[in-house]
Amino acid sequence: MLRRNVRLRKEYLYRKNLEGNEREIYEKKRKIREALQEGKPIPTELRNEEAKLRQEIDLEDQNTAVPRSHIDDEYANATEKEPKILLTTSRDPSAPLTRFVKELNIVFPNASKLNRGSQVISEIIETARSHDFTDVIFVSENRGKPDGLIISHLPFGPTAYFQLLNVVTRHEIQTKKEMGKMSEQYPHLIFERFTTQACIFMGKRVMNILKHIFPVPKLDAKRIVTFSNESDYISFRNHVYDKGEGGPKSIELKEIGPRFELRLYQVKLGTLEQDEAEVEWVLRPYMNTAKKRKFLGE
Amino acid sequence: MAAVKDSGFEALEKLKSTEPPVFLAPSSISEVARAASQYLFTKLKPHNPKSPFDELLVDGFDAEQIWQQIDMQSQPLLSTLRHEVKRFAKNPKEIRKIGALAVEASHEGDVDEMEMDDDNDVEDDDDDELDESEGEEEEEDEEEEEEEEEESEEENEGIEDKFFKIKDLEDFLEEGEAQEYGTTDFKNKKGLSKGKNQNLSDDDDYDEEDEEDEDEEDEEDEEFGAFAGDDNEDADKLGKARYEDFFGGKKKETKKTMRDVIEDEEAGDGNQGNEKLSTHEKELLKVQSKIEQMEKANLDPKHWTMQGEVTATKRPKNSALEVDLDFEHNARPPPVITEEVTASLEDMIKSRIIEARFDDVQRAPNLPTKSKREAKELDDSKSKKGLAEVYEEEYVQKSNPAFAPATFSDELKKEASMLFKKLCLKLDALSHFHFTPKPVIEEMSIQTNVPAIAMEEVAPVAVSDAAMLAPEEIFSGTGKIKDESELTQEERKRRRAKKKRKFKAESANHPVKKARDTNSEIPSTVAGNE
């Protein structure tokens, strides 16, 4: 296991190195392809390498044509399997927190809840790995109010730490009988304003992390889960829609499920129990220019 | 005149009778004091012919000026008095003579004074506003006095005015010094000291009543008043201390010069204070006062908000409620979820649903595990090769696959296989050539037990003899082979019995043929014989 991890890390670094070169080659291929399509002469700088590149273009298929980046490598094969989620809490959870976790259990399809008891985090993650879970989600609280959410992708994936704000649970709104049952369909996803993509900007990265918690839905699914970013605060909403009577343009939205704001404050490049893992990004709220900086995009 | 005299005397009596605290508060006692001092002055006038004043001018004059007038009169008087005392000390008999003379003189003086006082009865205002509104005789007297003074002090015209005379000031200061530091005259001054006391008390009252324009003048007056007051209190003590003790010999002039320099400077400052402060001076004052304030504030213990970590015990009760705490927060505050926000969110969601624009997880296309089947296109056109050529090529392929010409697809396949081999080589190198061997595919094929020579013609070249027959098929038995000559009798018998049994078993299955092919002779019989 250790050697395997060492090898994987070397691979990661090697591929990161190659990325620059690959990008260049991809660009050249793209130029040649365009030139061929439009019937224009190939640009002069590519003439030497033209023959070789053209051969490669011919042999390319769907997968190899896209340039790969080392980011989101963890999710390269995530779509092949359906995600399997393990939900836990911090130690000694209060009653409101357990209710909240029960709700989250329903919100995330293919999720299972685990009582914390006195287990150590490393134990939990080991068992999760051995049972082929793809993600582990921890929820922590402060005096009854859930205030922290940690999403850890499992084989050795990234861990995202969120702060929960303005949590409104289903239990707070209405009693069980009035609410009715919540649909557990695989939902459609909406991500709004997750635009940034670069080293310190985390928009696309967070989008990927949140996306791969959910499985591939059917096309006609009626449930919608929304993550909307507004100046680095992500709003989570859970709706069910119906085509109204007025025609195709009218839609009735019914809000189900809990509603909360997420605020990302750290992304680590290892799993939750790896304390020494590299910190990919961390929030710096006490910088003088903290007000002006927006990391998740606008 | 008599009335005035009497009034003066009454005033003096009254002063004597009043309690000391009354002198400290401003009251009508000042008028009384003035009248008393005037009376005394006129009394002393005949003894002092050189004095420029006929009368002590008190109205409109401040304490200092009155004091100076007294001083001017009394200074020469002191010296004469000293002389007289010494004379009397030597010749006591002359005292009686003088007593008579004094009475006469006083009478004369009184008459003169009466006349004079009448003239000078009207008040004399020194203010700039009221000028020459009094009687002519007064004016003449004033002018005389003023001329006398002016003649002596022509040099200081620019600085002096009706209020301030430097000579007066100097005299005044000198006297003050003399009192403080103790001179031989001091004892003789005792007679005058009472008067001075009253004058000084008068001065004190006058100080309090009269409010000067300039601060410095007041300070000086008060200072000297204070000094004088102290001296009066310690008069007895200081009387024993003499100038000679401190400075060694009566050298008034030197003392004067030393002191006067400083006094002059002070006078000069006093002058400026009296006139006006330049803007620079004013600013300097302001800055200095500010500095003093700040220094004082620095010395005081700090306010609790400035003291770093402060617990509840170290600050006054409920003081934290009153402090206006306002910090600039750098982080943006979390969003407040209002109805508008929710409404806008829902609108956005609705629009997305209508557009069917979701950010779902996309399944990645799987890599094909099996290669596409080659769809062989049947060529409709007439083949170019003749049938014979087709058969020829087939035959060549069968017999000599190496010599067959490669087709196009074969070329591609070759290229692919070459690439794959290179790749496999690299991968094997990665695992240090520790790879699992190819799985054994068990194939069934008929191996004819034919001697190699016979097979060589028919079998393909590549197949070796080793694949023909297994060694067990060639030779079955143990390694202990004995020659016929080595056998014992019993073993011979055993072999012969075995042979017979076998023969019988075979003959039971197959009927015996008459003619046997020597070629297909079973070699096991040969082995069995041994």
Side-chain angles (χ1 to χ4, degrees):
Chain A
M1 188 63 180
L2 206 64
R3 251 194 285 172
R4 176 163 158 243
N5 284 336
V6 167
R7 177 173 54 83
L8 287 169
R9 210 176 299 150
K10 279 189 189 166
E11 261 187 53
Y12 168 77
L13 289 171
Y14 176 69
R15 217 173 290 152
K16 211 166 140 181
N17 256 342
L18 285 185
E19 226 177 88
N21 284 345
E22 272 189 29
R23 233 170 222 274
E24 280 177 35
I25 292 171
Y26 170 72
E27 283 296 306
K28 287 179 191 171
K29 281 187 197 171
R30 194 181 55 81
K31 280 186 197 169
I32 291 178
R33 226 180 288 136
E34 276 177 18
L36 286 173
Q37 273 180 356
E38 293 171 17
K40 282 188 185 171
I42 298 165
T44 48
E45 61 265 19
L46 300 170
R47 232 173 253 163
N48 290 338
E49 305 149 338
E50 181 240 325
K52 190 175 132 198
L53 285 175
R54 211 192 294 177
Q55 211 182 28
E56 285 185 17
I57 290 169
D58 288 336
L59 292 171
E60 255 174 13
D61 71 343
Q62 209 177 11
N63 257 347
T64 49
V66 179
R68 300 273 160 163
S69 78
H70 71 282
I71 306 170
D72 293 335
D73 248 352
E74 297 106 339
Y75 294 103
N77 304 322
T79 54
E80 294 168 14
K81 263 197 322 179
E82 262 195 14
K84 201 169 159 194
I85 299 176
L86 182 67
L87 275 166
T88 6
T89 61
S90 49
R91 287 201 188 180
D92 265 336
S94 63
L97 184 66
T98 46
R99 285 201 290 264
F100 182 64
V101 169
K102 268 193 219 169
E103 287 174 22
L104 284 185
N105 204 352
I106 306 172
V107 165
F108 299 122
N110 217 358
S112 46
K113 191 173 80 70
L114 177 71
N115 285 337
R116 179 65 190 269
S118 64
Q119 290 163 326
V120 188
I121 285 184
S122 51
E123 281 175 23
I124 296 175
I125 294 199
E126 279 307 310
T127 49
R129 261 203 212 111
S130 58
H131 287 274
D132 268 341
F133 280 93
T134 57
D135 289 272
V136 173
I137 299 186
F138 270 81
V139 189
S140 51
E141 65 155 343
N142 180 18
R143 299 186 64 119
K145 286 255 143 209
D147 79 334
L149 188 80
I150 307 174
I151 302 176
S152 186
H153 188 68
L154 224 24
F156 19 80
T159 316
Y161 296 76
F162 294 94
Q163 180 190 20
L164 286 174
L165 302 153
N166 296 342
V167 177
V168 176
T169 60
R170 293 179 81 220
H171 287 86
E172 283 172 21
I173 304 172
Q174 283 152 330
T175 61
K176 201 170 175 184
K177 288 179 186 174
E178 288 171 10
M179 279 301 277
K181 294 197 177 171
M182 185 164 126
S183 156
E184 294 193 44
Q185 225 181 15
Y186 290 2
H188 279 298
L189 296 172
I190 293 181
F191 285 87
E192 187 73 19
R193 279 192 287 268
F194 283 83
T195 50
T196 59
Q197 184 184 22
C199 33
I200 46 163
F201 297 109
M202 285 280 123
K204 289 273 190 292
R205 178 79 158 144
V206 168
M207 197 168 104
N208 259 324
I209 293 173
L210 290 170
K211 215 194 249 195
H212 288 100
I213 299 175
F214 294 90
V216 182
K218 285 188 195 166
L219 280 174
D220 57 351
K222 291 286 177 187
R223 198 173 95 157
I224 294 200
V225 165
T226 314
F227 292 90
S228 166
N229 169 35
E230 182 83 43
S231 70
D232 286 358
Y233 286 93
I234 306 170
S235 305
F236 170 91
R237 299 286 182 274
N238 193 4
H239 294 276
V240 155
Y241 76 87
D242 263 327
K243 298 270 180 181
E245 297 91 28
K249 288 281 174 177
S250 75
I251 292 194
E252 280 173 24
L253 277 181
K254 186 185 161 203
E255 182 157 356
I256 53 165
R259 150 214 285 209
F260 44 84
E261 314 293 315
L262 294 160
R263 191 182 183 208
L264 179 73
Y265 66 85
Q266 199 178 60
V267 176
K268 273 196 174 172
L269 279 177
T271 54
L272 189 51
E273 93 274 16
Q274 291 169 354
D275 300 326
E276 68 284 350
E278 185 194 331
V279 171
E280 189 180 340
W281 179 83
V282 69
L283 175 73
R284 302 246 174 245
Y286 295 108
M287 258 171 72
N288 279 338
T289 51
K291 258 189 201 165
K292 302 178 201 167
R293 302 178 108 209
K294 289 182 187 170
F295 295 98
L296 298 183
E298 191 66 24
Chain B
M1 206 50 221
V4 172
K5 252 194 180 177
D6 286 339
S7 70
F9 191 69
E10 278 171 16
L12 195 57
E13 291 298 310
K14 204 176 175 186
L15 271 179
K16 278 190 213 170
S17 62
T18 51
E19 301 274 312
V22 181
F23 288 124
L24 292 171
S27 60
S28 60
I29 204 78
S30 61
E31 294 290 332
V32 175
R34 258 179 253 167
S37 45
Q38 262 182 329
Y39 174 68
L40 284 172
F41 196 90
T42 48
K43 279 287 174 204
L44 291 169
K45 174 84 175 71
H47 298 286
N48 202 353
K50 289 183 196 170
S51 139
F53 301 113
D54 291 329
E55 188 207 35
L56 181 68
L57 307 163
V58 294
D59 301 316
F61 280 89
D62 66 0
E64 198 185 307
Q65 286 157 348
I66 296 172
W67 183 247
Q68 278 170 16
Q69 288 174 45
I70 293 165
D71 205 32
M72 279 181 72
Q73 190 207 42
S74 56
Q75 275 295 345
L77 200 58
L78 285 173
S79 49
T80 52
L81 277 173
R82 215 181 293 134
H83 268 297
E84 294 292 306
V85 166
K86 276 187 184 167
R87 205 150 57 81
F88 291 146
K90 291 174 188 173
N91 307 323
K93 292 176 189 177
E94 290 185 10
I95 295 171
R96 288 172 208 160
K97 287 185 195 173
I98 293 221
L101 274 170
V103 171
E104 286 175 15
S106 66
H107 278 302
E108 287 174 10
D110 282 344
V111 171
D112 287 339
E113 278 174 1
M114 275 198 290
E115 289 173 3
M116 289 253 192
D117 281 341
D118 277 329
D119 294 337
N120 295 330
D121 206 9
V122 183
E123 286 187 0
D124 209 23
D125 283 323
D126 247 6
D127 295 332
D128 295 333
E129 299 152 18
L130 304 171
D131 275 333
E132 280 118 12
S133 53
E134 279 75 36
E136 294 172 359
E137 291 181 355
E138 287 177 1
E139 286 177 358
E140 287 173 10
D141 287 331
E142 279 180 291
E143 282 169 10
E144 282 177 355
E145 289 176 22
E146 285 175 2
E147 280 171 11
E148 286 179 16
E149 286 182 35
E150 281 175 7
E151 284 170 16
S152 62
E153 293 168 336
E154 277 174 353
E155 298 169 0
N156 298 327
E157 265 180 0
I159 304 164
E160 290 186 6
D161 60 356
K162 289 169 193 173
F163 284 108
F164 185 73
K165 300 190 171 47
I166 286 186
K167 192 160 186 306
D168 291 346
L169 178 64
E170 283 181 14
D171 294 337
F172 178 73
L173 293 173
E174 226 183 301
E175 206 171 40
E177 278 169 36
Q179 278 195 345
E180 190 173 84
Y181 289 100
T183 60
T184 51
D185 297 334
F186 197 77
K187 267 193 178 172
N188 301 328
K189 282 187 196 172
K190 266 195 179 175
L192 290 169
S193 65
K194 233 191 191 176
K196 272 186 194 166
N197 268 332
Q198 286 156 347
N199 281 332
L200 284 163
S201 60
D202 185 353
D203 290 349
D204 286 337
D205 292 336
Y206 214 84
D207 278 334
E208 284 152 13
E209 283 185 341
D210 222 8
E211 284 179 8
E212 302 279 337
D213 299 327
E214 263 69 54
D215 294 337
E216 291 189 12
E217 254 188 31
D218 260 341
E219 283 172 13
E220 278 192 14
D221 286 341
E222 283 164 9
E223 270 179 35
F224 290 121
F227 273 127
D230 284 343
D231 291 338
N232 284 327
E233 287 166 16
D234 303 333
D236 292 326
K237 290 179 198 169
L238 275 177
K240 290 171 187 176
R242 297 188 178 215
Y243 174 78
E244 289 145 337
D245 299 337
F246 295 107
F247 296 100
K250 284 184 281 179
K251 291 179 185 176
K252 253 194 181 178
E253 292 180 359
T254 51
K255 177 189 166 188
K256 191 176 178 177
T257 50
M258 265 287 288
R259 279 276 143 186
D260 255 8
V261 167
I262 300 164
E263 302 292 338
D264 280 338
E265 285 174 353
E266 283 180 12
D269 287 343
N271 242 345
Q272 279 188 339
N274 279 335
E275 304 263 327
K276 61 179 173 182
L277 283 171
S278 64
T279 46
H280 175 65
E281 295 278 318
K282 280 182 202 165
E283 276 172 42
L284 261 182
L285 277 177
K286 276 183 202 169
V287 169
Q288 273 169 9
S289 65
K290 254 191 201 173
I291 289 171
E292 273 177 37
Q293 263 181 352
M294 286 167 76
E295 282 177 354
K296 197 186 165 211
N298 273 346
L299 288 172
D300 291 334
K302 288 186 187 176
H303 191 240
W304 68 266
T305 49
M306 289 289 151
Q307 265 179 14
E309 284 189 21
V310 173
T311 54
T313 49
K314 285 181 192 165
R315 57 179 164 81
K317 197 174 178 183
N318 285 340
S319 54
L321 294 171
E322 292 143 24
V323 174
D324 185 22
L325 295 170
D326 193 15
F327 301 108
E328 209 185 273
H329 295 279
N330 267 336
R332 264 171 262 112
V336 176
I337 304 300
T338 56
E339 285 194 24
E340 300 155 0
V341 173
T342 347
S344 65
L345 265 176
E346 292 195 348
D347 288 337
M348 185 266 292
I349 295 169
K350 281 181 192 173
S351 61
R352 284 265 216 149
I353 293 170
I354 292 167
E355 294 170 28
R357 192 162 61 94
F358 303 118
D359 298 309
D360 294 334
V361 183
Q362 306 290 338
R363 209 161 264 171
N366 287 331
L367 288 169
T369 47
K370 282 187 183 174
S371 58
K372 278 189 248 176
R373 271 194 181 177
E374 277 182 39
K376 283 192 179 172
E377 278 181 21
L378 290 171
D379 233 357
D380 285 343
S381 62
K382 189 181 168 188
S383 70
K384 291 170 188 173
K385 291 192 253 176
L387 200 60
E389 287 172 6
V390 171
Y391 285 144
E392 189 189 334
E393 280 182 16
E394 274 188 34
Y395 180 73
V396 163
Q397 251 193 344
K398 270 188 191 172
S399 56
N400 262 339
F403 292 147
T407 56
F408 180 67
S409 61
D410 282 340
E411 273 191 18
L412 271 181
K413 279 183 189 171
K414 261 192 193 171
E415 206 184 324
S417 63
M418 283 308 293
L419 286 172
F420 189 67
K421 271 185 189 168
K422 277 187 192 170
L423 182 65
C424 282
L425 186 68
K426 284 190 181 169
L427 288 173
D428 290 340
L430 271 178
S431 59
H432 303 284
F433 295 104
H434 288 163
F435 47 82
T436 52
K438 264 189 187 172
V440 176
I441 306 167
E442 289 184 10
E443 275 177 19
M444 295 279 285
S445 62
I446 301 165
Q447 306 285 352
T448 49
N449 192 9
V450 161
I453 301 166
M455 294 296 279
E456 267 172 26
E457 291 169 12
V458 181
V461 183
V463 179
S464 71
D465 306 335
M468 296 299 289
L469 278 175
E472 287 79 14
E473 291 173 335
I474 300 168
F475 173 80
S476 61
T478 60
K480 292 174 182 173
I481 300 166
K482 282 184 175 177
D483 195 34
E484 272 190 41
S485 56
E486 295 169 5
L487 289 171
T488 61
Q489 194 67 8
E490 286 174 1
E491 283 187 8
R492 283 205 190 108
K493 278 185 180 176
R494 225 181 273 138
R495 285 192 185 196
R496 185 174 161 76
K498 203 177 170 187
K499 191 178 164 189
K500 272 185 167 180
R501 263 183 264 129
K502 250 190 181 178
F503 183 70
K504 273 183 185 174
E506 277 184 27
S507 68
N509 289 335
H510 308 287
V512 179
K513 286 181 181 176
K514 278 195 176 174
R516 263 195 198 176
D517 212 9
T518 48
N519 277 346
S520 61
E521 203 179 76
I522 299 167
S524 61
T525 50
V526 171
N529 282 335
E530 294 181 1

